[in-house]
Amino acid sequence: MSGKPENVRQYGELVKMTAELIVEQAALMAQVQWNKRHREELLLQLIKGSDLNENQLLSIAERLDLDLAQPRVAAAVQVVPKQGQPLTLEHLQKLVHLLEYPERDNIVGIVSVSMNEIVVLKPVTIIDGEWDKKEEQKRVKKLLSRIKQVGEFSVKIALGDYFPHLSGIARSYETAKATLDANSDTKPSILFYQEHKLSILISVLKKDQWRHDQMLQPLNRLLEQDTKGVLIKTLRVFFEHNCDLAHACESLHIHRNTLRYRLDKIEEITSLNINNLDEKFQLYLALKLI
């Protein structure tokens, strides 16, 4: 810029202000990126769980203005793009933004781009040693409503159980991830570990082939002979109604004698007595495994 000072002074001031704004914006963006990178690193350290340096994590959290003393549960979030559309990093970044704002002291991070998984460490309210599930249901429903407005993807969210102390966050993540993995083909968008606890705990049997085969042996005999699936459906409904004959009959729209006949047939084929608690439980677990 050249010219007489009195002529160019006001333009010089504008140039100076513009340069200052650019520098300030660059510094702010660098700080935002630093915060984001360290938030994700903090989250990964917490869900990893092993060899935690608590003093170091608390120091990082303090600089990020995060309260790690606050009770938290882990939520595993799976992103599902609209049919026919590929999943992009932009989808995951948009979801991270929705999870971080409005700010609730969430710690959010993209754990795997290839597996389209995001993890959230959510602050929760503890009452008599238990966390308030109803409150989180309300918050998750609000989140799903905001995601629906975006319209580019849907999500499945699994919330783990609460475990005290920083080391408990890794266990919370394990229960959230196991809940998500065990229900990958189910429809509900919101999953709670407590509601699927038994199925998740016995899912390890699927990896232990001989125990898995032994557990399914009686039910496989039933499946071979029950070509129309009537007996399997009857057994499933019977257990869904906590072995209450009246409620099972009502749900199946059959007479009580018909239900008794079918249960007798199931006992005959499987060689398991439904009135024996141990053998009844074997049938129940086998149904959970198929």
Side-chain angles (χ1 to χ4, degrees):
M1 182 177 293
S2 61
K4 294 182 179 180
E6 59 270 19
N7 294 334
V8 299
R9 183 173 287 112
Q10 57 181 337
Y11 300 110
E13 288 295 328
L14 287 173
V15 171
K16 177 187 173 186
M17 288 173 59
T18 303
E20 288 175 347
L21 286 171
I22 291 172
V23 171
E24 287 176 5
Q25 186 179 34
L28 180 61
M29 290 301 295
Q31 183 64 39
V32 168
Q33 289 301 316
W34 186 92
N35 287 347
K36 184 176 180 59
R37 187 168 63 253
H38 282 77
R39 271 176 175 257
E40 288 197 344
E41 181 58 33
L42 178 66
L43 178 140
L44 291 171
Q45 288 293 322
L46 288 169
I47 65 174
K48 187 170 111 180
S50 59
D51 302 323
L52 284 180
N53 186 328
E54 292 197 7
N55 290 332
Q56 184 181 18
L57 293 177
L58 289 169
S59 176
I60 294 171
E62 187 178 357
R63 279 187 306 224
L64 294 169
D65 198 26
L66 292 171
D67 180 12
L68 288 188
Q70 192 171 25
R72 295 176 186 272
V73 298
V77 186
Q78 189 177 54
V79 186
V80 183
K82 291 295 182 182
Q83 193 171 7
Q85 294 183 4
L87 181 73
T88 66
L89 180 59
E90 186 181 358
H91 289 139
L92 298 179
Q93 289 171 338
K94 282 185 178 179
L95 181 55
V96 167
H97 182 78
L98 289 171
L99 289 164
E100 287 181 331
Y101 303 99
E103 182 61 52
R104 262 198 75 238
D105 205 24
N106 286 343
I107 304 175
V108 187
I110 299 173
V111 175
S112 171
V113 175
S114 60
M115 299 296 290
N116 61 331
E117 185 188 346
I118 291 171
V119 172
V120 189
L121 304 182
K122 300 173 64 62
V124 291
T125 302
I126 303 298
I127 301 173
D128 297 328
E130 300 291 332
W131 64 284
D132 190 348
K133 192 173 74 173
K134 289 183 179 179
E135 182 63 27
E136 287 309 310
Q137 281 178 320
K138 292 178 186 176
R139 294 185 186 281
V140 173
K141 284 179 180 178
K142 285 181 181 178
L143 171 65
L144 293 177
S145 176
R146 292 166 62 210
I147 290 172
K148 192 174 181 179
Q149 291 174 9
V150 174
E152 296 179 19
F153 52 82
S154 59
V155 298
K156 180 173 284 189
I157 302 174
L159 287 97
D161 208 353
Y162 168 71
F163 300 91
H165 313 303
L166 281 185
S167 58
I169 290 177
R171 293 178 65 190
S172 182
Y173 170 67
E174 285 179 11
T175 57
K177 188 73 170 70
T179 305
L180 195 61
D181 292 343
N183 293 275
S184 58
D185 298 326
T186 59
K187 290 183 179 180
S189 299
I190 310 171
L191 301 162
F192 287 88
Y193 168 72
Q194 294 95 328
E195 296 174 358
H196 301 271
K197 194 170 185 177
L198 179 60
S199 297
I200 293 162
L201 293 176
I202 67 169
S203 63
V204 293
L205 288 174
K206 294 180 180 179
K207 300 175 184 177
D208 194 330
Q209 195 61 49
W210 78 267
R211 286 187 173 88
H212 180 262
D213 292 345
Q214 284 289 300
M215 187 66 72
L216 285 183
Q217 199 173 64
L219 207 61
N220 284 334
R221 291 198 296 268
L222 184 62
L223 287 166
E224 287 173 7
Q225 297 191 40
D226 183 28
T227 54
K228 294 183 178 178
V230 173
L231 296 179
I232 285 290
K233 180 181 178 182
T234 300
L235 187 62
R236 198 181 296 279
V237 171
F238 178 65
F239 284 134
E240 283 174 358
H241 289 280
N242 300 310
C243 306
D244 187 295
L245 294 175
H247 287 156
C249 287
E250 185 180 349
S251 180
L252 290 165
H253 306 291
I254 60 175
H255 191 272
R256 193 182 187 95
N257 290 341
T258 304
L259 177 58
R260 288 190 179 279
Y261 169 78
R262 291 182 184 177
L263 293 176
D264 288 342
K265 193 68 178 173
I266 290 168
E267 288 183 339
E268 179 187 332
I269 295 170
T270 62
S271 301
L272 294 175
N273 183 355
I274 289 180
N275 291 318
N276 178 289
L277 183 59
D278 185 71
E279 295 182 7
K280 178 188 292 185
F281 193 55
Q282 286 183 52
L283 275 174
Y284 181 71
L285 289 183
L287 271 178
K288 288 283 186 183
L289 286 172
I290 62 171

